[in-house]
Amino acid sequence: MADSIVYLGTGGTIAGSASSAQDNLSYTSGRVPLGDLLAALPGLPERLGTHAMLHEQVFQEDSKDMDLSHWQVLAARVAHHLGSASVRGVVITHGTDTLEETAFYLARTLPASLLAGKPVVMTCAMRPATSLSPDGPQNLRDATVVAATSGAHGLMLVCQGQVLDGAQVQKIHPYQLNPFDAGDHGMVGVVEETQLRLLGGWPRPVPDRAVKTLAGRPTSGQDFPRVEIVFNHNGADGAIVRALCAPPSQGDAPVQGIVLAGTGNGTMHRGLEAALRAAQSLGVTVVRTTRCARGRVLPRADGRGEAFPILELSPVKARIELMLQLAARQAAA
Ligand code: ASP
């Protein structure tokens, strides 16, 4: 039997539906079934070539509403398909709003041995499927081109012809059709018409980070420790951190980690620093990132601020990394 490309649908604007074809904002995400999107895609059989096609609606969500359980279900389905000898690659349709978080979670939790041999290509849209001029079909076609390319492997995002390392992407615009950027990492390649032009190498596995990493990964269904993101800004006096560390309301999990989205090179107001040190002394793990869109926090030669280890990730990705590490630590205890 021919190798298959497996499409996994999770919802998002690419599956969105609006009452007017001229309305690209007041629509409902995650309405059009993945099977319908694929059936309506011109040229799909040509792009698949000798590959067979399978599709599965994993869920239908606006990605702003996703939580850990969605990640776990999706990761399990991706791992299942990648593990099958007859599957060549996986394409995932996903909302743009939290795509970078799902991508980082997948890159960080899928076995590296699976990603080293096969492609997982995420794709999306900024206009609903019912739009006058939807962008989803072209993105889905381009994602198919990448997934069907011989030798393709690793986790990627394909949007507006750009092929980006999935673990590096960040949504940087709320409206434009090309809302993603991979910062300093540049592009993996571009899809031009129906050809992939590789510019860099295929994505590499996500490395373990500076915070003490422990073996093991959370098992499906395990709750992640609660980790919150706190920004530094003018007048950040630490009140938010004190509120986070107060006894939780009924039903809320206690905070176990805080990601500082610092200014510049991970700096923080002295009031916020004092509050974070107090949180740390209560057993809360605090890590430092930057709220800058690009780059990473670098250690200072004089060691100031080093009470809070640096994570070389954006704040939202650092939150996932810290949750994974705290969960692994707890699972190993
Ligand atoms: N709110 C939508 C989502 O993330 C936005 C999009 O897909 O562009 O599901």
Side-chain angles (χ1 to χ4, degrees):
M1 198 181 103
D3 282 353
S4 308
I5 306 283
V6 180
Y7 294 80
L8 301 179
T10 73
T13 299
I14 191 167
S17 164
S19 53
S20 160
Q22 295 173 62
D23 191 343
N24 288 324
L25 290 179
S26 341
Y27 60 87
T28 307
S29 285
R31 280 292 168 92
V32 184
L34 175 64
D36 292 5
L37 297 177
L38 290 165
L41 190 60
L44 183 61
E46 291 89 326
R47 299 289 64 82
L48 284 167
T50 57
H51 298 292
M53 178 184 85
L54 299 173
H55 63 87
E56 181 181 329
Q57 190 76 56
V58 184
F59 37 81
Q60 271 284 38
E61 285 284 3
D62 188 318
S63 77
K64 72 178 177 57
D65 294 323
M66 287 188 191
D67 53 34
L68 171 62
S69 62
H70 294 95
W71 288 347
Q72 290 179 326
V73 168
L74 180 61
R77 296 313 295 154
V78 176
H80 166 81
H81 290 295
L82 287 183
S84 162
S86 65
V87 169
R88 167 66 202 121
V90 172
V91 173
I92 303 171
T93 55
H94 197 289
T96 59
D97 285 347
T98 63
L99 189 148
E100 68 207 63
E101 296 176 56
T102 303
F104 185 77
Y105 178 83
L106 292 176
R108 191 66 180 78
T109 60
L110 286 170
S113 56
L114 291 182
L115 283 176
K118 296 180 183 183
V120 175
V121 186
M122 300 183 75
T123 195
C124 56
M126 289 298 283
R127 291 179 181 159
T130 51
S131 168
L132 199 58
S133 174
D135 51 329
Q138 179 81 49
N139 287 343
L140 196 50
R141 194 191 75 163
D142 290 348
T144 303
V145 167
V146 175
T149 297
S150 169
H153 60 88
L155 184 86
M156 290 165 270
L157 166 67
V158 173
C159 181
Q160 289 291 295
Q162 291 192 55
V163 186
L164 304 173
D165 181 333
Q168 306 299 340
V169 298
Q170 196 168 356
K171 187 173 180 182
I172 55 163
H173 201 284
Y175 182 74
Q176 287 176 357
L177 297 185
N178 195 0
F180 289 101
D181 170 297
D184 299 340
H185 294 265
M187 288 190 274
V188 171
V190 287
V191 180
E192 295 164 330
E193 290 302 304
T194 57
Q195 296 298 319
L196 169 66
R197 180 158 60 100
L198 263 185
L199 300 172
W202 298 109
R204 282 186 302 227
V206 175
D208 283 343
R209 300 286 158 179
V211 168
K212 192 174 164 212
T213 301
L214 295 144
R217 51 172 59 91
T219 53
S220 180
Q222 181 188 346
D223 278 341
F224 275 1
R226 183 170 162 210
V227 175
E228 297 287 349
I229 301 170
V230 170
F231 276 76
N232 187 47
H233 50 77
N234 176 299
D237 61 3
I240 186 89
V241 173
R242 288 186 286 279
L244 283 174
C245 295
S249 314
Q250 221 179 2
D252 289 342
V255 169
Q256 298 185 43
I258 294 178
V259 173
L260 167 70
T263 28
N265 194 38
T267 60
M268 71 215 86
H269 188 287
R270 63 178 74 86
L272 181 54
E273 180 169 354
L276 288 171
R277 284 182 187 274
Q280 209 176 31
S281 67
L282 293 173
V284 176
T285 302
V286 180
V287 296
R288 211 153 54 95
T289 67
T290 176
R291 68 180 208 186
C292 294
R294 292 195 172 198
R296 59 193 173 128
V297 176
L298 293 166
R300 285 169 52 133
D302 66 6
R304 274 213 63 200
E306 299 310 309
F308 310 126
I310 294 166
L311 272 185
E312 296 173 355
L313 292 166
S314 70
V316 293
K317 291 176 193 165
R319 173 177 166 270
I320 298 167
E321 180 66 28
L322 187 53
M323 289 193 304
L324 287 169
Q325 293 192 17
L326 292 174
R329 193 177 301 173
Q330 287 162 13

